[in-house]
Amino acid sequence: MKMKKIILALAGIVLFTSHVNVAFLATNDFSDVSQTSPYYTAITDLKTRGIISGYPDGTFRPDQEVNRAEALKIILLGAGINTGSSSATAHFSDTSSTAWYAPYLNKAVELGIVQGYPDGTFQPAQTVNLVENLKMLLVAKNVALSNVTVTQNPYADAFSGQWYSKFVEYAKDKNLIDADPQNKIYPAQGMTRGKLAETLYRLLYIQDNGLSSFPATTVSVPVQNPTPTPPPASGTGVNFTIDPTLNRQTISPYIYGSNEITEDNGQPREPGMKLIRSGGNRWTAYDWENNASNAGTDWGPNSSDSYLSDSKTPGDAVKTRVDAAFGLGAAALITVPIVDYVAADENGIVTDIASDTNSRWDKNLPTTPGTLPLTPDLQDHTVYQDQFVTWVQNTYQSSLNSGKQIFYSLDNEPGLWPSTHPLVHPQQTTYAEMAKRTADFSAMIKKIAPNSLVFGAVAFGYSEYLNLQSAPDANGRDYLDFFLDSAKAAETSAGRRLVDVLDLHWYPEAKGGGVRITDSQSAAPSDAEVEARVQAPRSLWDPTYVEDSWITADVLNNGPIELIPWLQTKIAAHYPGTKLSFSEYEYGGANHISGGIAEADVLGIFGKENVFAATLWPEGFSNTPDTYIYGAFDLYLNYDGQGDGVGDTSVSAQNSDINDTSVYAIAKSSDSTVLYIVAINKTKNVIPANVAVANSSAFASGQVYQLTAANMKPQAAGSFAVQNNQFTYQMPAWSVSLWVLKTT
């Protein structure tokens, strides 16, 4: 069908969009795709062509990630490929010839559009990422790539020399995809149904119209009279411009997590937490058969004791913690030791190096030889972790079947084993052993718990990221690149993905006034320390920010850290589809408002930057009744003290002053009548915030909840009127404000 650009003036006003957005005279009838959606034109066009039809409830769900089966159907229909003559064959061990997607899968296999995994599966429910989707689409459309040359990186995070390079270069040349302001496309990010529709629509549009590329701009023809879009915010102070239709990113609930459960008078202080981790140095030498553990030099002189549990019942130390996590409605992240030995008893200080003949230690192995016993042998001085994982899965089978989650972590901070566990692992950790240990233990876990996620690397900090703490076999190789490559190779060998999450620890090295911010929980820090702490979260993402630390000075030549984009680039290049986690992090300042400000900023960044999981390590304040850091969590999870939390979808929030302020906008996927805005004032002065919300429902009012120096918990701070989707608010000094906007 030929498309024509349409130019229309309404009352002398011409409405422009950032890309071609030709609206049709008929609506698409999807209840969740309004004319303000950035995918409205694409979805309407594809529905008109009969390529998409949506769900039985009348929705299209544009922000929902699209799986391999759904993507395949849409792509084949978009390519005009007739599936009628395809054979009714299962092809893969996890697909059926009677499944709804079978005709599309059969034809795609026949035409060489898709291939299965080495284990003979297709994994129809697995999310498709951007570059995988591009490949499927361009192959299905028989796009010739022989003349495409890639001489330089197409985007800041999409590199030449990768399997996807030609597909991305073609997409860039034809303007099939959009980059963000930092020229990044996030190749490993899961595709949503809306993004897939937009990419397909653009390709069809240029082919239908004989164009060399998709036009950058044209005029939108509204179907009905839309809610007027306000101009960008402007005025004295800072300007925030929110657009719920742009940069929509599902927020993983697991970023709101903590290590252990800190209690106050027997009650958990984090009732809204979504992930509880049982990890740390003590769990490296945990013996699940008798609950003995040894924290090495981290807690005294290598003492084996009953710190984790007084019980002698196998697994009770873990069960207590998983039960507590489930009681909070949270997922549990538990540690599987992968070192050679674990504590055999609770008899106190150990002085001799672990060995097969040292009775103070039990040998630790991934797999039981022969048949798994029903109960562990407590006298053989050997611990088999497949028995532990089997016990966990059996103990919580009904909970797991009901939707609760248990994740598995491969030990803790292996780069530090020679210093934290010198009796268990006295020699320096090597690249080679980490590849083998990771493959052996993760394969065991996946065999027993195939639907559970495995967290790997669990690296302690930047020096471990770079070279595994100067491993003897580093040979100039980047360790995280190596780890991802080896995990990908292990998948190829095993025929299934073994490591799902790249897990790291992040304790900022930033200093202020000579004090490292994580070393201080003071209620009266210096101005320099406060400034360093409230600015430190910018090192997670900001290409313009350079903190005062040995990392920027000695490693990066006084350049920015940009931690999360740097890590996501590694994942895209070395093992696409791997999730990112920080199972330990902390910014200090628990007893000062600067700690709450930094934590609120970090949580906003994690949601915006597609981090999968994060668990706070409450260093130095685990027994403190209240802290500003927990107050920041409350602002996201329990802002009114009644259990109400923010939404589940990060959306575009533009900020005119990222030095003094931060802003995060969060929508609720199930309710467009409410919008949450987290606004942070990082200074000692009141800052007026001029806020404009574009392309959204018409909001009428806002409620305010605030975290300030006056109180460690969020406090209700009144309400205000919203007119024409604009308002100005005076942000108090050193504060985090949550504005809950409503249409009524």
Side-chain angles (χ1 to χ4, degrees), residues 19-54:
H19 61 269
V20 172
N21 188 15
V22 182
F24 291 83
L25 296 178
T27 65
N28 58 42
D29 296 326
F30 294 129
S31 61
D32 59 345
V33 182
S34 70
Q35 61 186 10
T36 61
S37 167
Y39 310 121
Y40 179 82
T41 299
I43 292 170
T44 304
D45 176 47
L46 297 187
K47 183 180 181 184
T48 301
R49 295 173 185 253
I51 295 172
I52 59 175
S53 57

Side-chain angles (χ1 to χ4, degrees), residues 309-645:
S309 175
D310 292 327
S311 171
K312 296 299 185 288
T313 302
D316 259 12
V318 172
K319 188 175 187 303
T320 300
R321 290 159 173 82
V322 174
D323 288 348
F326 284 179
L328 290 176
L333 174 59
I334 60 179
T335 299
V336 175
I338 67 173
V339 290
D340 291 333
Y341 299 94
V342 295
D345 58 50
E346 300 171 347
N347 298 333
I349 294 174
V350 186
T351 58
D352 295 329
I353 290 177
S355 69
D356 291 357
T357 59
N358 187 337
S359 63
R360 299 297 307 277
W361 302 96
D362 283 344
K363 192 171 183 62
N364 184 53
L365 296 172
T367 307
T368 304
T371 304
L372 277 173
L374 295 178
T375 58
D377 184 342
L378 304 183
Q379 306 301 322
D380 63 358
H381 273 288
T382 303
V383 174
Y384 298 101
Q385 294 299 331
D386 59 345
Q387 296 179 27
F388 170 58
V389 175
T390 299
W391 172 83
V392 171
Q393 294 297 114
N394 290 341
T395 301
Y396 292 101
Q397 182 176 358
S398 61
S399 296
L400 295 172
N401 290 341
S402 70
K404 295 186 184 299
Q405 296 286 342
I406 295 177
F407 306 139
Y408 292 93
S409 173
L410 299 180
D411 218 293
N412 181 73
E413 302 182 341
L416 293 181
W417 284 341
S419 59
T420 56
H421 292 281
L423 300 184
V424 172
H425 195 286
Q427 69 278 13
Q428 278 190 281
T429 314
T430 67
Y431 282 39
E433 71 168 297
M434 282 307 299
K436 179 170 174 48
R437 291 182 193 275
T438 297
D440 289 348
F441 282 86
S442 60
M444 173 273 295
I445 295 170
K446 286 294 189 178
K447 181 179 180 180
I448 300 166
N451 296 321
S452 292
L453 299 183
V454 174
F455 289 50
V458 202
F460 83 90
Y462 209 80
S463 58
E464 186 166 345
Y465 305 170
L466 296 178
N467 53 33
L468 193 56
Q469 194 74 348
S470 301
D473 60 344
N475 297 325
R477 296 174 295 173
D478 182 283
Y479 174 61
L480 291 186
D481 290 350
F482 168 86
F483 180 86
L484 291 165
D485 287 339
S486 64
K488 184 177 181 181
E491 174 184 344
T492 301
S493 177
R496 69 169 76 182
R497 178 180 274 272
L498 303 180
V499 176
D500 302 280
V501 185
L502 174 65
D503 184 42
L504 308 172
H505 295 170
W506 181 246
Y507 294 95
E509 299 284 350
K511 292 183 177 181
V515 176
R516 184 182 175 189
I517 62 172
T518 55
D519 289 343
S520 170
Q521 309 295 347
S522 172
S526 69
D527 289 347
E529 179 187 329
V530 169
E531 180 67 8
R533 179 173 294 117
V534 300
Q535 295 297 333
R538 292 170 64 184
S539 285
L540 291 173
W541 68 273
D542 187 355
T544 69
Y545 179 68
V546 179
E547 66 181 31
D548 177 11
S549 72
W550 68 264
I551 298 174
T552 57
D554 300 339
V555 180
L556 300 176
N557 195 27
N558 294 316
I561 294 176
E562 292 184 90
L563 183 65
I564 295 175
W566 178 64
L567 294 169
Q568 289 173 334
T569 297
K570 288 179 174 295
I571 289 171
H574 294 275
Y575 198 12
T578 304
K579 303 177 189 299
L580 178 62
S581 167
F582 296 98
S583 64
E584 289 186 21
Y585 76 93
E586 188 252 328
Y587 280 71
N591 299 303
H592 188 264
I593 184 60
S594 62
I597 288 173
E599 182 62 43
D601 212 352
V602 167
L603 292 174
I605 292 166
F606 285 165
K608 181 179 179 181
E609 296 292 331
N610 198 31
V611 172
F612 173 70
T615 47
L616 173 75
W617 185 271
E619 181 69 30
F621 58 92
S622 59
N623 296 316
T624 305
D626 287 304
T627 72
Y628 290 100
I629 292 174
Y630 292 134
F633 274 94
D634 283 340
L635 205 65
Y636 283 87
L637 300 173
N638 185 30
Y639 58 80
D640 59 357
Q642 304 300 313
D644 287 333

